Amino acid sequence: MAPVQSPLSLNSELTRALDLPFPPTSFSARAKLIEHLDAHILERLEQLAEREILPAPLRALEARARALRLRFEAQNKRVALRLAARIAGGQYSPQGLARALRRCADVREAETGYDALDELLAELIDGGALPELSAQLEPEMVAYQPTPGRVILALVERAALSSSDVLCDLGSGLGWVVIVSALLSGAQGIGVELEPAYAAYANTCAQQLGLSQLRFITADAREAPLRAANVFYLYTPFRGSLLEHMLRRLEQEARTRQIRVCSYGPYTPTVALSPWLRLQSPSEPDPNTLCVFESTH
């Protein structure tokens, strides 16, 4: 068993961890410092407090860390509120908003996972507290996980979304993909979501942002109406035979009009095997990047 660190040693180590670069002048820098405070100080002190009473120096260190965290959160909240007010006031073109988001959150597409852009979007797209979830997922349905913001930006660009498109997100969750895509392109949008609480939340967020061209419906994707859309997005909402069933449904839609299918996540290679789809971007199917396919029927 590893030796228990003495309070004096821990205090010295955590004090060094609190020696942060100041002042953090951007949303991105503050978001990273909040993560640093959580991982290197507050979580460790919480673990220690579960075993023993914190000595005075560590309590003072904890208070300082929590105060900094609150200050950074308040500053980032103000940034998000200003941005939301400008969006509501029509002060951004879609291209201007994309530049503002990239600049504010220091977006780097080569990164993986979530980043400061996701923190910013969570502040901008806020429908309040989620009600209790009620939908029961079948074994081949995948639990909701939000699409990273950088992937949504890539979707708008690589799929060349415009106001003439109707984007359908199959398994839309809290609605981020449809909402952000609409803000950045003017596209109409439909979110298909099995969980009623998620669909209601997304409709609230869309209304708050004045996006009347969007609607989120509670439906099983196997039975949802798809005819209005010409662009479909999949972030691994299904797997196995259910995914194959949905791809057959999309193929039927493609026989009536040309569609684009955008995929992100571990089941993208399965989507790429569909003979009626041709990969447009990138050159090879990659689960870690946004892939855009066009129908060939």
Side-chain angles (χ1 to χ4, degrees):
M1 180 180 295
V4 177
Q5 203 168 1
S6 71
L8 181 61
S9 172
L10 183 59
N11 182 49
S12 177
E13 182 180 338
L14 295 183
T15 299
R16 289 195 301 274
L18 199 52
D19 185 18
L20 304 172
F22 282 94
T25 58
S26 69
F27 187 102
S28 176
R30 287 187 291 269
K32 290 177 180 177
L33 289 178
I34 290 170
E35 183 178 359
H36 174 91
L37 290 169
D38 283 341
H40 295 283
I41 298 177
L42 294 173
E43 289 180 6
R44 295 182 66 184
L45 289 174
E46 287 173 3
Q47 292 171 0
L48 181 61
E50 291 176 357
R51 301 196 304 267
E52 58 187 271
I53 298 174
L54 294 179
L58 290 183
R59 291 200 303 273
L61 187 71
E62 180 183 31
R64 182 183 170 203
R66 291 194 184 282
L68 284 173
R69 193 186 196 288
L70 288 172
R71 190 172 91 195
F72 295 157
E73 285 181 330
Q75 289 173 328
N76 277 1
K77 182 71 172 181
R78 287 194 293 271
V79 170
L81 288 174
R82 286 197 300 269
L83 188 58
R86 290 170 183 167
I87 293 171
Q91 297 181 34
Y92 285 113
S93 66
Q95 297 79 11
L97 178 56
R99 287 193 297 270
L101 291 175
R102 287 186 178 278
R103 181 176 62 253
C104 185
D106 190 24
V107 176
R108 302 175 188 273
E109 190 174 341
E111 292 185 358
T112 59
Y114 297 98
D115 54 29
L117 179 58
D118 301 290
E119 300 288 341
L120 179 57
L121 293 179
E123 295 285 357
L124 289 174
I125 308 172
D126 183 7
L130 280 173
E132 185 176 350
L133 306 185
S134 59
Q136 296 296 316
L137 298 183
E138 297 179 17
E140 292 184 329
M141 294 178 178
V142 179
Y144 170 65
Q145 188 173 8
T147 296
R150 60 185 168 75
V151 176
I152 306 176
L153 297 186
L155 167 64
V156 173
E157 295 172 358
R158 293 180 188 171
L161 290 182
S162 71
S163 57
S164 62
D165 290 313
V166 180
L167 170 66
C168 178
D169 184 358
L170 296 169
S172 54
L174 299 180
W176 284 23
V177 170
V178 174
I179 290 172
V180 175
S181 295
L183 289 171
L184 298 182
S185 70
Q188 300 176 66
I190 304 167
V192 176
E193 174 53 49
L194 187 67
E195 173 54 61
Y198 286 156
Y201 183 98
N203 275 315
T204 297
C205 293
Q207 292 167 8
Q208 289 176 346
L209 291 167
L211 298 172
S212 59
Q213 77 271 36
L214 307 184
R215 60 190 177 97
F216 296 89
I217 62 174
T218 302
D220 187 314
R222 289 168 291 194
E223 303 168 355
L226 304 178
R227 192 162 299 276
N230 68 316
V231 183
F232 295 88
Y233 176 69
L234 296 145
Y235 178 22
T236 63
F238 331 103
R239 58 175 174 257
S241 62
L242 183 49
L243 175 58
E244 293 172 1
H245 175 86
M246 287 308 305
L247 289 171
R248 288 194 297 270
R249 274 209 72 188
L250 292 177
E251 183 180 10
Q252 292 173 358
E253 295 298 321
R255 294 185 184 280
T256 68
R257 63 197 183 284
Q258 187 173 54
I259 67 172
R260 281 161 280 167
V261 176
C262 304
S263 177
Y264 175 69
Y267 301 118
T268 293
T270 302
V271 176
L273 292 175
S274 300
W276 58 278
L277 287 174
R278 178 175 60 245
L279 181 62
Q280 295 296 302
S281 174
S283 58
E284 297 290 338
D286 183 352
N288 298 311
T289 191
L290 189 282
C291 293
V292 179
F293 302 84
E294 277 193 355
S295 61
T296 59
H297 286 318

